[in-house]
Amino acid sequence: MKPDFDFVVAGTGAGGAAAAARLAEGGARVAVLEPGPRATPQPDGTRAVALYYANAGLTAGFGNGLFPVAVGRTVGGTTTINSGTCLRPPIDAVARWERTIPGFDAAAFRADVEDVWRTLRVKTVPAERAGASTQLLFRGLERLGVSGAHYLDRAEDGCAGDGRCCFVCPSGAKATAASAFLEPALKTGNVELKAGWRLVEAIPARRGGLAGARVAGPNGERRTLGARGVILACGSLATPYFLRRIGASAGDGLTIHPAAKVFARFDETVEGWRGVPQAGGFLDPEAPRLRFEGAFVPPEMAPLTIPLEGRRLRAWIEAYANVASFGFLVRDAGRGSVLHPVGADMPFIRYTLADEDLRLMTRGMRTVARAYLAAGARKVLLPLNRPDNEIETPRALDAFDWESVRAAELQLMGFHPLGTAGLGRVVGSDLAAAPGVYVCDGSVVPESLGVNPQVTIYAFALGLARRLLGGRA
Amino acid sequence: MSALGDFARAYAAHAGLPEPEIGFEAELAARQAPLPLWARLSAGPCALAARWLAPLVFLGRPARFDDLEPANKDALLARLQFARAPLLRGAFLLIKIPVLGACYASRRKGA
């Protein structure tokens, strides 16, 4: 039987788009499924969330707290709604994978990372384009004598500093999986993008025959596509659904990089919505599992992210032009799992924030709060859902009862779900889950990275494509 | 008049926020339209509970949210926002997404 395509790729995020692009460049005919729409810039961030985030931004984990998780559901996947920040995978993690995962080729992986770096045209944010939130934090760190803060590397070409990276880049300058990989691949003529189509079931190959993908179209039509291989790139929250249907034991080992941000009110005008929101960052020199990164949401999103209510909330919104914010994320020791009682699109996420992660979260908020107060902030607002979350002096910050903080009080978010089909646990170093069925998204990342994971995921995709082409790409 | 609209009006009056130009019902409908069905269906009952039941449960006051004194309204909203039970905070978020969006619709860029 002749295959409909050489490969069917489900998902157009970092994993799916990069794999599809390299397979197509190598001469393979590829069908790419994307259930979400093509994203267009929206003047209102809340509308972008409703249209292009999975479950309209309502994806959340439950456990010893409430853990919203942000993932994209649009052409380009989460890269369309991320900050564009690029960080290489940690050296210690790659070394560990080489030691513990049979067949993992660290040298080839590192080469793929550099390939990704070039393709995304990664460049360091120039100081003049950094948002004022970052500048103020850097000022505070300098006054405290804390070194190591730096401007971050981002995937962009011609960024205008519109400050809305996470709500679809208005200028299109941010390099996404769609713009950097998928769009060029479509020009080869070897890729058929099936927008509005979703995977129903992956079918492993039997006795050296074809694999297949049962797919559903936007009008409910069903088809089965035969192919040499099916690549699952639906993201860490959806891919385990398809893996379990073919008998793989996926869904455990979820990490989310719990993250939060501290708000600070200044007398001076900040207008944090101007410039690159995630322009700067640094690693905690004494707690390397704690990474600080810029974070600022546009005014229309602020009421939903500020942990206050009623008139206290209004006071902060009224002063939002004078508000700065900066975030942090934890390379989590805690783990979660994902189940799908009603299908791939509605994950049921369980997650437990580990005690050691909670301590790092409180350390993170203390560090940012201290820096902003040193920079001249009138008051800071901690990401805690409790009445005493506004602090006005360094002394009050030191006197705060940090030991009393509970995971359930944190106003946090997970931005990088990873690990639900971990390399070495669920898939082998060839990323195969079954004959003819491969996985290529955040789910294969074997552990919490502590860095924004898009470069790592892209690199896994390039390696998979090269292997599937027999080393030709 | 929907349960969500009633809560939004009471919330806006308390926080001193104006009614959206197109009215609360239209603004809320527009904001709810892209949400998943389960979220749209849940928001009304959650708003009803926040307006009628929450004052009794959290403040021991058998009164509507609208009829509480301003300090008690703030106290009630704080109890919901600061709830440690993930499901309760999640349910309040289902109200907040459309209601705060509508209430602060005219206040952009800190204006």
Side-chain angles (χ1 to χ4, degrees), chain B:
Chain B
M1 293 250 257
S2 66
L4 198 59
D6 288 338
F7 182 80
R9 255 181 294 279
Y11 184 100
H14 168 60
L17 297 163
E19 180 154 347
E21 281 176 20
I22 59 172
F24 271 116
E25 297 298 340
E27 184 76 37
L28 289 168
R31 288 179 180 278
Q32 282 204 293
L35 300 184
L37 179 65
W38 64 266
R40 278 181 276 151
L41 293 177
S42 311
C46 288
L48 206 61
R51 189 160 167 250
W52 288 90
L53 194 60
L56 178 64
V57 173
F58 293 114
L59 303 178
R61 301 275 298 273
R64 284 190 315 173
F65 172 79
D66 322 31
D67 300 328
L68 297 172
E69 302 80 35
N72 280 331
K73 285 180 183 165
D74 277 334
L76 178 63
L77 291 170
R79 289 294 295 269
L80 295 168
Q81 172 69 29
F82 298 153
R84 281 189 182 178
L87 278 177
L88 181 55
R89 188 131 56 85
F92 188 46
L93 195 58
L94 289 178
I95 311 174
K96 285 182 65 164
I97 288 170
V99 168
L100 266 60
C103 287
Y104 285 99
S106 62
R107 295 178 174 269
R108 292 286 182 265
K109 308 225 167 198

Side-chain angles (χ1 to χ4, degrees), chain A residues 351-369:
Chain A
Y351 183 82
T352 301
L353 189 82
D355 288 345
E356 58 197 282
D357 296 339
L358 175 61
R359 282 193 289 279
L360 289 172
M361 295 294 287
T362 57
R363 181 182 172 88
M365 59 185 85
R366 221 176 337 175
T367 301
V368 175

Side-chain angles (χ1 to χ4, degrees), chain A residues 279-300:
Chain A
F282 62 105
L283 203 59
D284 190 314
E286 292 170 25
R289 287 205 293 117
L290 180 58
R291 177 175 292 280
F292 297 86
E293 288 181 348
F296 192 93
V297 296
E300 68 271 19

Side-chain angles (χ1 to χ4, degrees), chain A residues 20-395:
Chain A
R22 286 301 164 89
L23 288 168
E25 286 167 16
R29 291 172 307 113
V30 185
V32 181
L33 312 174
E34 174 51 60
R38 282 180 185 274
T40 53
Q42 300 291 323
D44 185 325
T46 60
R47 185 149 179 84
V49 171
L51 292 175
Y52 306 129
Y53 282 48
N55 286 304
L58 290 168
T59 305
F62 294 88
N64 56 350
L66 177 66
F67 308 110
V69 182
V71 285
R73 191 175 190 271
T74 176
V75 175
T78 304
T79 67
T80 301
I81 50 102
N82 72 2
S83 292
T85 298
C86 290
L87 289 158
R88 292 178 174 85
I91 293 168
D92 68 297
V94 178
R96 189 162 37 250
W97 303 343
E98 185 170 39
R99 272 199 321 275
T100 60
I101 299 169
F104 178 78
D105 184 344
F109 181 75
R110 288 190 196 102
D112 288 331
V113 166
E114 298 314 311
D115 188 344
V116 169
W117 210 261
R118 288 189 298 274
T119 306
L120 294 178
R121 299 182 178 188
V122 177
K123 45 184 74 73
T124 305
V125 178
E128 66 274 13
R129 213 180 298 140
S133 281
T134 298
Q135 307 282 17
L136 285 165
L137 190 98
F138 281 16
R139 184 204 292 175
L141 291 172
E142 194 178 344
R143 287 180 183 171
L144 293 171
V146 177
S147 60
H150 60 89
Y151 293 107
L152 290 167
D153 293 328
R154 297 179 69 244
E156 58 95 354
D157 196 20
C159 170
D162 291 307
R164 308 180 72 82
C165 322
C166 297
F167 309 99
V168 185
C169 175
S171 68
K174 187 178 78 174
T176 66
S179 68
F181 286 96
L182 196 56
E183 299 298 343
L186 286 169
K187 290 179 186 154
T188 67
N190 286 342
V191 174
E192 185 177 323
L193 174 61
K194 300 176 87 64
W197 286 73
R198 64 186 174 80
L199 182 69
V200 176
E201 185 179 14
I203 307 164
R206 283 188 193 168
R207 297 192 196 105
L210 291 177
R214 258 192 273 284
V215 300
N219 301 315
E221 60 271 45
R222 300 259 174 152
R223 284 184 62 190
T224 300
L225 304 174
R228 285 166 50 202
V230 175
I231 298 174
L232 301 176
C234 311
S236 296
L237 301 182
T239 286
Y241 168 82
F242 300 107
L243 289 174
R244 276 199 300 268
R245 292 195 70 172
I246 58 171
S249 174
D252 294 329
L254 174 70
T255 62
I256 62 169
H257 285 167
K261 60 178 173 281
V262 174
F263 294 92
R265 233 160 106 173
F266 288 83
D267 288 337
E268 65 197 88
T269 301
V270 178
E271 296 191 339
W273 54 83
R274 299 189 197 283
V276 177
Q278 195 160 88
F282 62 105
L283 203 59
D284 190 314
E286 292 170 25
R289 287 205 293 117
L290 180 58
R291 177 175 292 280
F292 297 86
E293 288 181 348
F296 192 93
V297 296
E300 68 271 19
M301 293 298 301
L304 291 170
T305 60
I306 291 176
L308 289 173
E309 251 310 325
R311 291 180 294 184
R312 285 177 75 191
L313 172 62
R314 187 186 161 180
W316 276 82
I317 300 299
E318 291 287 325
Y320 203 59
N322 295 50
V323 171
S325 69
F326 207 88
F328 50 90
L329 65 84
V330 169
R331 186 177 186 178
D332 40 344
R335 292 291 181 269
S337 62
V338 57
L339 293 170
H340 301 87
V342 285
D345 290 339
M346 285 195 63
F348 178 73
I349 305 166
R350 296 276 307 172
Y351 183 82
T352 301
L353 189 82
D355 288 345
E356 58 197 282
D357 296 339
L358 175 61
R359 282 193 289 279
L360 289 172
M361 295 294 287
T362 57
R363 181 182 172 88
M365 59 185 85
R366 221 176 337 175
T367 301
V368 175
R370 185 174 290 128
Y372 271 140
L373 288 170
R378 284 289 167 199
K379 67 164 75 167
V380 294
L381 175 62
L382 304 174
L384 293 173
N385 282 295
R386 48 192 277 172
D388 56 352
N389 56 5
E390 288 179 275
I391 304 277
E392 295 190 359
T393 64
R395 180 175 292 186

Side-chain angles (χ1 to χ4, degrees), chain A residues 438-466:
Chain A
Y438 305 90
V439 184
C440 185
D441 55 29
S443 67
V444 301
V445 177
E447 60 183 285
S448 182
L449 290 176
V451 300
N452 307 48
Q454 65 170 347
V455 171
T456 303
I457 299 169
Y458 280 124
F460 275 120
L462 299 193
L464 174 63
R466 190 178 51 252

